[in-house]
Amino acid sequence: MPKVYTMKQLSILIASLALALSTSAFAQNTASPQYRDWVTPQPGQFDYYKLSLTLQPVYCLKNPSSPACKTSILQNSPLLTLNEFIPSRDQGRRYKYQYCSKSISEKEIKLDQKGQWSKLPSVPNLTSATKKSLNEVMPQTKVYQQRHAWLKWGTCNSSTYDANGYFSKAAALTKYINNPDVSAFIQANRKTTVSLTQIRKFFNREFKTLNKVQFQCVSVGNRSFLENINFYVNKKVDLADLDSYPLLTPFGTMKHSPEQECPESFYL
């Protein structure tokens, strides 16, 4: 004799079946390449740039075998070099604003995430002038970091996918921040201990950063060294008219000041 269900039992059964079916469908969708198509962010729809500059001698202290750290390559490199230039959305850690072109394949994303950047496609349509500017501020082009940067973040810069515009702005901002005063400050304090208060005061005075700058350190041996300085740059920044568009993002664009990752004192 078939089992008879009450209305309440039937409702629970139907709800359970619906949940199982939707969970199965979601699992299938998220496992397929098509999943990324409907979660791919729209290029140009970001709030500010995160400009990350690396203290090159510390990078090489941590990565002595990197091709980017050979003496011949670094002869004319500045102390601060371009690490990342990231169009960013202020929507929390779960939101990933990256890989904005739908033409990017799953294979390319996996190669990028594994650090196999030499196997990524070349950056499209870069002019010789842009390449020259980029090589001057990013020695890591020797390990194809520009391909990684373009695939992951450059495609998010604008809907025109203009690599020259993206890298030209990144290079110009790096040169602007790495001015003679900054170079002199870093050079004067190389291999000495500085405090967060001291270095923050310098950058506040130099660029009116209002503490909106992040200092990241790395441990080498038993010492903590400054590795990266992160600036949160106004999306509309124009180096030719900083009075109209200030360098740093307005307070209202960021919900919280960046967290510091350096101890109170560290080595340069």
Side-chain angles (χ1 to χ4, degrees):
M1 182 176 180
K3 185 174 180 179
V4 178
Y5 292 91
T6 65
M7 288 300 294
K8 183 176 181 180
Q9 289 173 323
L10 280 172
S11 298
I12 294 173
L13 182 61
I14 291 169
S16 299
L17 285 170
L19 178 61
L21 288 171
S22 63
T23 302
S24 175
F26 180 78
Q28 290 175 3
N29 285 336
T30 54
S32 68
Q34 287 76 21
Y35 169 72
R36 193 172 59 83
D37 290 342
W38 55 266
V39 295
T40 300
Q42 295 298 311
Q45 302 299 309
F46 61 97
D47 298 315
Y48 54 86
Y49 291 108
K50 177 183 175 182
L51 175 67
S52 180
L53 304 184
T54 293
L55 193 59
Q56 191 66 28
V58 174
Y59 171 84
C60 291
L61 187 65
K62 190 180 75 170
N63 305 280
S65 61
S66 170
C69 294
K70 303 301 181 184
T71 304
S72 60
I73 297 171
L74 288 176
Q75 271 183 339
N76 299 313
S77 294
L79 286 172
L80 283 179
T81 58
L82 176 62
N83 179 32
E84 298 171 341
F85 188 49
I86 307 176
S88 303
R89 292 198 71 163
D90 198 8
Q91 293 191 341
R93 294 182 180 179
R94 293 185 65 186
Y95 185 87
K96 300 296 184 184
Y97 191 69
Q98 55 196 28
Y99 304 117
C100 291
S101 171
K102 291 185 178 182
S103 66
I104 298 172
S105 69
E106 297 297 313
K107 179 182 178 181
E108 289 169 346
I109 291 178
K110 288 178 181 177
L111 287 172
D112 184 54
Q113 292 173 342
K114 291 178 181 178
Q116 297 179 4
W117 300 339
S118 64
K119 297 180 181 179
L120 295 175
S122 299
V123 180
N125 304 317
L126 274 189
T127 65
S128 56
T130 303
K131 288 179 182 178
K132 181 176 182 294
S133 294
L134 191 58
N135 288 336
E136 289 171 355
V137 299
M138 182 189 268
Q140 290 86 342
T141 55
K142 297 296 180 181
V143 292
Y144 303 99
Q145 186 168 338
Q146 74 279 23
R147 297 184 182 185
H148 154 71
W150 173 251
L151 188 82
K152 190 170 184 179
W153 297 304
T155 54
C156 297
N157 188 55
S158 73
S159 57
T160 60
Y161 301 112
D162 176 17
N164 285 293
Y166 170 72
F167 282 116
S168 294
K169 179 174 279 190
L173 284 168
T174 302
K175 291 177 181 178
Y176 174 79
I177 290 174
N178 197 27
N179 64 36
D181 288 342
V182 171
S183 294
F185 173 84
I186 293 176
Q187 192 64 58
N189 290 282
R190 284 279 294 124
K191 300 181 181 179
T192 65
T193 302
V194 297
S195 69
L196 263 177
T197 301
Q198 177 188 1
I199 197 168
R200 188 183 290 119
K201 183 177 180 180
F202 171 79
F203 280 98
N204 281 346
R205 183 177 67 248
E206 190 73 17
F207 299 110
K208 298 181 175 62
T209 56
L210 303 173
N211 295 329
K212 292 281 186 174
V213 63
Q214 181 186 43
F215 302 97
Q216 293 180 303
C217 286
V218 62
S219 294
V220 181
N222 59 354
R223 291 180 174 179
S224 186
F225 288 86
L226 177 65
E227 183 178 26
N228 296 318
I229 305 176
N230 300 329
F231 296 84
Y232 294 81
V233 179
N234 192 317
K235 177 181 178 178
K236 297 181 179 180
V237 66
D238 181 354
L239 292 180
D241 191 5
L242 284 175
D243 290 331
S244 297
Y245 295 109
L247 175 68
L248 275 292
T249 181
F251 273 102
T253 309
M254 297 181 67
K255 295 176 182 177
H256 306 287
S257 292
E259 295 180 2
Q260 303 301 328
E261 297 185 26
C262 282
E264 185 52 42
S265 62
F266 47 86
Y267 284 84
L268 281 184

